[in-house]
Every structure is written in C-alpha cells, then in structure tokens.
Amino acid sequence: MRIACIVVAWLLLFVTPSVSEELDLELVLLADATGSIDEAEIRFQRAGYAAAITDPSVLNAIAGNAYGKIVVTYVEWADMFSQDVVVDWTVIDGKASADEFAARLMEAPRQAYGRNAIGAALLKGKELIDTNDYTGLRRVIDLSADSANNWNGPPIREARDIVVGSGIVINGLAVLCRHCSGRPVSYDLEQRFYDEIIGGPAAFVVTADSAATFADAVRKKLILEIAARPEDAERILLRLARAD
C-alpha cells in the first residue's frame, strides 16, 4: 500500500492542474438572426458590434478595470436548434485584440436561421459561460432582438430564471431601427424585455431606435456592461455625449 501511495504521489507531480484565466468580465453577445433579419441586416448588426468593440471609449472602459481585460464571444441565435458561435471566446485587452475580434466577426458566414427561440438562446449563453476556460469577476449575457416572441424551445421566463439563478446577468438591446426590422405593433418591445428577458443585479435595456444610432447604442451598452463601477460608465458616457 505504501508503495502504491508513493507511485500515485509521483505521478501527480506530472499532472498539470486545470487553471482558468482570471479577468474582469465574461460576456456573451447574443445577436438576433431570426427570419426577420435578412443578410444585409446581419452584416449591419455585425458592423455595429465591430465598430463598438474597437471604439476607444470601450477600450478605455476595459483598461480601467481590475485586470484590464475581458473575454467575449459573439453568437447569432434563431430557433431552438440554431445558435451559431460566430466568434469564439476572445480575450480583449487592447486595440490589437479588439481589431482581431472585429475582423473575424465580419468574415464569418451566416449559419443561424429559423423562428425566435429566445429561451434556448439564453440557455446557450449560459452553457458557453459554464464551459469556457475563464473566470470573470462578472458574467453577462447580452441579448439583442427586434421582437420578444418565442415560437419554440424553453419558455423565456423559465430560461431567464435558470440563467439569473446561476449568477449570470442578462441585459438587452431592443432593436427598433426602421431599416433593420421595425417595431412590433402589438406590444411595447422594451417593456417585454424588462418583464420577461433581462434579470440580475443592475440589469438594463438599451434601445437602438434608428439605423444611424445602432453602433452608438451598442457602444453605450458595452460600456455599461464592461465598466465595473457605475460611476466609471457614467463618466465615459458623459464624455462621449460632450464630444458628440
């Protein structure tokens, strides 16, 4: 028995422990790729995110945190069987890594199709966070959509409660821009986001109300999510407002 224990102890010396990289934020960007979003709108949305993630104000928000780095993945969601990881987990710690993320985002072909399954998309975001190789001080899922319908898959509220119950915050981007997909006529989209989709401490909804302001809305949303302290986000956004 003693010899066996010695052998086991010796073997353990050669086993490298699994260590996850620590950083400020794990962020899943869940972008709408349902039937209401055509190919031009897919490119439009991606361009908005690419512009936002490389914006100096967003990079300043990243640099101002404890570790000075976040990890991001971009996923296009549609029906319950169609959630495509367009850009896998990428550490953003400065301009070079942000530029690389943006370039990969614009190059990838569209793979997600189908009718809305927001509940399934939220659970996909949780799965991606649970199974990655990173440990963030905060964990956030950011879902964009031009409607709050759920035609298949798990109910939205049930999925939201599972995600939020695991300590992940869900924020929302309500897409109302006319040249994207328009505003639902039968309900208030932002209110549905508040009632059914978002959740967790300080969860919020940002509205993209026109094609011209889409990238600005994404930039604002990223700053609010990335800045660890609300006062830092307010300072950056105030400076942006003055510059505009």
Side-chain angles (χ1 to χ4, degrees):
M1 177 65 72
R2 181 182 177 186
I3 293 176
C5 291
I6 292 173
V7 171
V8 170
W10 182 79
L11 290 173
L12 288 174
L13 293 176
F14 297 90
V15 176
T16 302
S18 176
V19 178
S20 59
E21 182 176 356
E22 296 183 355
L23 31 69
D24 297 295
L25 173 68
E26 299 169 62
L27 177 61
V28 179
L29 300 174
L30 290 175
D32 192 342
T34 55
S36 60
I37 307 295
D38 63 23
E39 293 298 327
E41 290 159 356
I42 287 288
R43 309 306 298 179
F44 173 79
Q45 288 184 157
R46 290 187 186 184
Y49 278 94
I53 199 71
T54 57
D55 189 276
S57 60
V58 172
L59 297 179
N60 286 340
I62 295 172
N65 286 332
Y67 289 97
K69 57 183 177 180
I70 66 173
V71 66
V72 184
T73 183
Y74 188 95
V75 181
E76 287 176 342
W77 62 271
D79 70 26
M80 64 181 294
F81 300 111
S82 188
Q83 301 104 26
D84 177 52
V85 178
V86 180
V87 182
D88 206 350
W89 289 109
T90 303
V91 174
I92 308 293
D93 56 3
K95 184 178 186 303
S97 53
D99 287 345
E100 179 185 353
F101 181 92
R104 289 162 58 199
L105 177 59
M106 297 307 296
E107 291 170 359
R110 177 183 186 168
Q111 301 288 345
Y113 296 90
R115 302 189 77 187
N116 294 46
I118 293 175
L122 293 176
L123 293 180
K124 178 65 174 181
K126 178 181 182 300
E127 175 194 331
L128 291 170
I129 288 175
D130 289 343
T131 58
N132 68 23
D133 295 325
Y134 303 94
T135 300
L137 298 179
R138 292 169 291 126
R139 301 182 298 163
V140 174
I141 291 172
D142 180 332
L143 182 129
S144 70
D146 64 1
S147 78
N149 296 322
N150 199 65
W151 301 110
N152 53 89
I156 298 175
R157 293 189 184 195
E158 179 180 303
R160 177 198 60 190
D161 292 346
I162 292 172
V163 172
V164 173
S166 70
I168 299 171
V169 173
I170 303 170
N171 296 323
L173 175 67
V175 181
L176 306 182
C177 46
R178 219 176 134 235
H179 298 295
C180 295
S181 304
R183 174 188 284 276
V185 295
S186 60
Y187 58 88
D188 184 296
L189 181 58
E190 294 98 321
Q191 193 59 51
R192 287 281 289 274
F193 264 84
Y194 279 110
D195 293 342
E196 300 184 14
I197 297 174
I198 71 167
F204 63 85
V205 177
V206 170
T207 302
D209 56 8
S210 73
T213 61
F214 182 84
D216 287 340
V218 174
R219 180 177 62 174
K220 176 182 179 181
K221 178 175 59 66
L222 290 179
I223 291 170
L224 290 170
E225 288 166 336
I226 291 167
R229 301 185 304 174
E231 57 267 31
D232 290 340
E234 292 172 5
R235 173 177 48 80
I236 294 171
L237 293 173
L238 180 60
R239 186 165 64 241
L240 285 173
R242 288 172 175 169
D244 294 340

